[in-house]
């Protein structure tokens, strides 16, 4: 690690005006992004059991040594993929819940997101990450943290409802129950395309809102 850092610093300091550091940083970020993109492609390909840093490096056109310059091991690369997909499923939900308006407006935005078809690549990525988490504690912990963040969105949604009513009700059971239902419907939908998940979720949200 020390040798790597020293080499980078020497390379950056040799450029006049310090511009070498900016160029080195930019190139490094681009290489890292290429490796993550290649990792996503391989994981979404449905062969997570054969996922290796060597295969990722080959697909991205980067040397295997350079891959390990950016990622210490296979797990670190997988964890980077977990973080990379956050803007595609958690961030939009956070924006829908934390955006303007009362409970009804926020609930409508959330339902619109949840009833929008998930991209096949993202669905396969989630499946691969779940499989990898079974045998890798670091992947499991990373994925668990992402799902905790995802579930907290629903708790905040029902907290908005509790605040509007001013009844002091606990939004956590309602939010977590709804999150569990979303997860379950996603699993069912992957096997049975006839299930109307949108209708089920709307009915459930209405029932939970009434019971809260």
């Amino acid at each position: 690690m020390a040798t790597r850092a020293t080499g980078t610093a020497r390379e950056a300091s040799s450029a006049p005006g310090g511009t070498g550091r900016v160029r080195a940083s930019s190139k490094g970020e681009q290489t890292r992004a290429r490796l993550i993109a290649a990792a996503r492609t391989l994981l979404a390909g449905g062969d997570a059991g054969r996922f290796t840093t060597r295969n990722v490096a080959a697909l991205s056109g980067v040397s295997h040594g350079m891959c390990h310059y950016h990622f210490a091991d296979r797990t670190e690369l997988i964890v980077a993929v977990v973080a990379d997909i956050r803007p595609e499923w958690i961030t939009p939900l956070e924006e829908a819940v934390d955006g303007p308006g009362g409970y009804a407006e926020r609930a409508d935005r959330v339902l619109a997101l949840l009833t929008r078809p998930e991209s096949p690549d993202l669905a396969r990525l989630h499946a691969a990450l779940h499989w990898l988490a079974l045998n890798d504690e670091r992947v499991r912990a990373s994925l668990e943290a992402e799902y905790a963040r995802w579930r907290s969105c629903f708790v905040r949604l029902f907290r908005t409802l509790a605040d509007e009513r001013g009844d002091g009700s606990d939004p956590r059971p309602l939010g977590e129950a709804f999150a569990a239902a979303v997860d379950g419907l996603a699993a069912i939908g992957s096997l049975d395309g006839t299930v109307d998940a949108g209708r089920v979720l709307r009915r459930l949200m209405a029932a939970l809102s009434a019971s809260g």
Side-chain angles (χ1 to χ4, degrees):
M1 280 301 232
T3 303
R4 252 180 14 190
T6 302
T8 302
R10 188 185 300 116
E11 185 177 304
S13 63
S14 66
T19 57
R21 184 179 299 277
V22 176
R23 286 198 298 269
S25 174
S26 176
K27 186 176 180 180
E29 289 170 3
Q30 291 172 12
T31 300
R32 180 181 172 87
R34 284 167 59 190
L35 288 164
I36 292 174
R40 288 185 56 152
T41 298
L42 287 176
L43 288 173
D47 199 8
R50 299 182 63 183
F51 180 84
T52 65
T53 54
R54 193 173 296 279
N55 289 339
V56 170
L59 181 61
S60 63
V62 173
S63 71
H64 190 219
M66 183 57 69
C67 180
H68 280 285
Y69 176 90
H70 290 280
F71 301 99
D73 54 23
R74 185 182 86 139
T75 296
E76 192 172 298
L77 182 52
I78 295 168
V79 169
V81 171
V82 172
D84 190 65
I85 64 175
R86 184 184 302 147
E88 296 167 46
W89 67 295
I90 295 180
T91 303
L93 184 60
E94 289 176 330
E95 292 172 348
V97 169
D98 299 329
Y103 170 77
E105 292 88 348
R106 299 180 193 210
D108 283 344
R109 290 196 297 264
V110 167
L111 286 170
L113 276 176
L114 295 177
T115 54
R116 191 169 63 192
E118 185 178 38
S119 75
D121 278 354
L122 187 58
R124 287 192 292 267
L125 264 173
H126 274 127
L129 291 169
H130 278 259
W131 187 88
L132 290 163
L134 293 175
N135 299 299
D136 191 316
E137 177 59 27
R138 286 157 60 199
V139 175
R140 188 202 64 77
S142 176
L143 204 56
E144 181 182 31
E146 293 298 292
Y147 272 95
R149 180 170 176 167
W150 182 78
R151 290 195 305 273
S152 72
C153 292
F154 299 109
V155 175
R156 293 202 302 279
L157 175 63
F158 283 99
R159 182 175 292 121
T160 301
L161 178 62
D163 289 345
E164 285 183 1
R165 291 175 172 170
D167 57 6
S169 59
D170 184 3
R172 184 166 297 280
L174 299 180
E176 291 184 345
F178 192 78
V182 174
D183 275 343
L185 283 169
I188 293 171
S190 67
L191 301 172
D192 182 1
T194 65
V195 176
D196 189 343
R199 183 181 181 187
V200 173
L201 289 177
R202 289 186 184 91
R203 290 286 184 89
L204 178 60
M205 183 169 281
L208 290 174
S209 301
S211 67

